[in-house]
Every structure is written in C-alpha cells, then in structure tokens.
Amino acid sequence: DQQVKQNSPSLSVQEGRISILNCDYTNSMFDYFLWYKKYPAEGPTFLISISSIKDKNEDGRFTVFLNKSAKHLSLHIVPSQPGDSAVYFCAASITKLIFGAGTRLAVHP
Amino acid sequence: DTGVSQDPRHKITKRGQNVTFRCDPISEHNRLYWYRQTLGQGPEFLTYFQNEAQLEKSRLLSDRFSAERPKGSFSTLEIQRTEQGDSAMYLCASSLSPSGTATTNEKLFFGSGTQLSVL
C-alpha cells in the first residue's frame, strides 16, 4: 500500500523560475511531513518540514504548503537554481517516516 | 565529521552468501533506523531502534534479515542466504527523540548508504 505518492517522476524548470513539487498521502493519522533532497551516491538530506497543525512553513527559498482536507502537500522553490537539481522525496510520519517514490528535479540555465 | 557513517559503501556478493553492514549513528542520537532503497523508489522502512531496543520491524522484512544495536551505539544489519532481490541501497539514519514518544517529529540524518549487489 502506497501511503505517500509523488506522481511526477520528473520535473524540468528554468533557472530563476519557480519549482513546484507535489505529494499526496492517504493516511489521515500522519502528523508530520518532511521533504528530503538526494544527490547521487549520497544519502537523503533534510530540507524542510511541517506539522499537521500548520498549513505553511517557509525557510529561505523553500516553502512547504499542507492542505489536510485534500491530503496534499507541495514544495515550492523560488527562485530555482542549478544546484537544486536532485531527487526530492516527500515523507510522512506516524511512528516512522514513510517516503514517496521521489521526483527528479532538473534546473537548467 | 560527526555524521552518520556506514560501512562498507559497496558490497558485491554471490547468491546464498551472508552479508553484514555496519552503521555508526551521530553519537548523541538515541534512535537508529534502517531503510532500503531500490532504483526509482523512495527509501523503504525496515526497522528501528530506540537505544538498544528494537521497537518496530517491517512486515516486509523476511527472517533472513536481522538487525542489532548492542549497547545502543552502532548497529549491524545482517542478511543471510542473500537473493538477487536483496540488491539495493541500504540506508541507515539516526535521530534524537524524546524517550517515550511514539511519533517521529524529528528529522532523520542519513548516511551515504551501502550499495549491495547480489550476483
């Protein structure tokens, strides 16, 4: 059962524009959501998180939005930079983190 | 560097052999997780420890897999009688969590993983 879904396997964005990565979940018991970023041959690194009691969290160029009624969250990166090119994983937690399949973001000049 | 360390980085083995991986978490972290990742998928939970106690194990984890965390410090993951389907990246992560809490409202710090290839 895939409780956390990232339906877009890839996304290509021009440098300076906004990148929007989407994530859907099915379990209403999830109480915390995180985004991780992964470069090749490295482990995932934490990017930003949001509690289920909030609808927005911002950290520099990164903003995460949570829509609990739709069981949907999104990560906005503004402005996108070539160094943002990586695989982004959405994760949700109860007693452990459950990850989506990831979205590969390519930011081109 | 005081990050999560995993050893080895790569392991090639023949089907039927046993393999063991080691993870050294960030020293003050009380939780340690093992995940497995295959190509095109996200990390899949295997098991986790709070200190030396193994608190949860995925039902996907067959009896051929066993993990230990003696003394609540480093951890080992052993796979017995490896199969080609075991080929994956095995990731370890650690976190600092208030004792007794059941939720994971803290961020996990991942190691670089051990890439296992079973021939």
Side-chain angles (χ1 to χ4, degrees):
Chain A
D1 61 339
Q2 208 174 350
Q3 298 186 66
V4 179
K5 295 181 185 179
Q6 294 177 257
N7 292 319
S8 299
S10 63
L11 176 67
S12 183
V13 171
Q14 192 170 21
E15 181 179 5
R17 298 286 187 107
I18 184 171
S19 295
I20 300 176
L21 295 95
N22 294 302
C23 178
D24 296 294
Y25 62 95
T26 56
N27 191 338
S28 58
M29 297 299 292
F30 287 137
D31 59 0
Y32 200 61
F33 302 89
L34 305 90
W35 285 92
Y36 278 79
K37 176 179 176 179
K38 187 179 185 303
Y39 293 116
E42 294 182 12
T45 54
F46 171 77
L47 193 57
I48 192 169
S49 62
I50 187 167
S51 165
S52 60
I53 62 173
K54 295 187 174 181
D55 56 18
K56 178 182 174 181
N57 188 27
E58 192 172 349
D59 183 3
R61 298 185 297 115
F62 303 91
T63 303
V64 56
F65 295 92
L66 176 62
N67 182 335
K68 284 184 66 178
S69 60
K71 294 193 177 68
H72 177 84
L73 67 156
S74 61
L75 173 68
H76 293 209
I77 307 174
V78 181
S80 301
Q81 299 173 353
D84 296 329
S85 298
V87 178
Y88 289 78
F89 292 102
C90 167
S93 79
I94 311 176
T95 59
K96 58 190 179 286
L97 291 188
I98 298 173
F99 286 83
T103 296
R104 181 176 300 276
L105 173 66
V107 181
H108 53 89
Chain B
D1 183 84
T2 56
V4 177
S5 177
Q6 291 190 247
D7 183 68
R9 289 294 305 273
H10 303 275
K11 179 70 177 178
I12 300 173
T13 191
K14 291 183 179 178
R15 190 177 51 187
Q17 298 293 304
N18 299 344
V19 293
T20 300
F21 311 140
R22 177 180 170 122
C23 172
D24 287 273
I26 294 171
S27 58
E28 64 268 25
H29 284 183
N30 56 354
R31 282 197 179 175
L32 186 148
Y33 298 78
W34 285 100
Y35 281 81
R36 175 174 64 190
Q37 185 177 14
T38 54
L39 202 60
Q41 300 299 315
E44 174 189 33
F45 171 78
L46 294 179
T47 187
Y48 90 93
F49 295 82
Q50 177 138 328
N51 300 313
E52 66 275 8
Q54 189 172 17
L55 295 189
E56 190 171 344
K57 238 174 117 167
S58 168
R59 62 193 163 171
L60 301 174
L61 208 62
S62 80
D63 291 343
R64 297 184 296 106
F65 287 72
S66 62
E68 292 183 344
R69 193 182 182 199
K71 303 178 184 177
S73 55
F74 71 93
S75 176
T76 58
L77 177 68
E78 181 183 17
I79 309 175
Q80 295 182 327
R81 304 181 303 283
T82 52
E83 301 172 357
Q84 288 184 324
D86 296 331
S87 296
M89 171 74 79
Y90 289 83
L91 292 163
C92 175
S94 70
S95 68
L96 182 61
S97 176
S99 296
T101 57
T103 57
T104 309
N105 288 352
E106 77 277 358
K107 56 186 181 185
L108 271 59
F109 294 81
F110 282 86
S112 296
T114 295
Q115 182 66 53
L116 173 66
S117 299
V118 181
L119 305 178

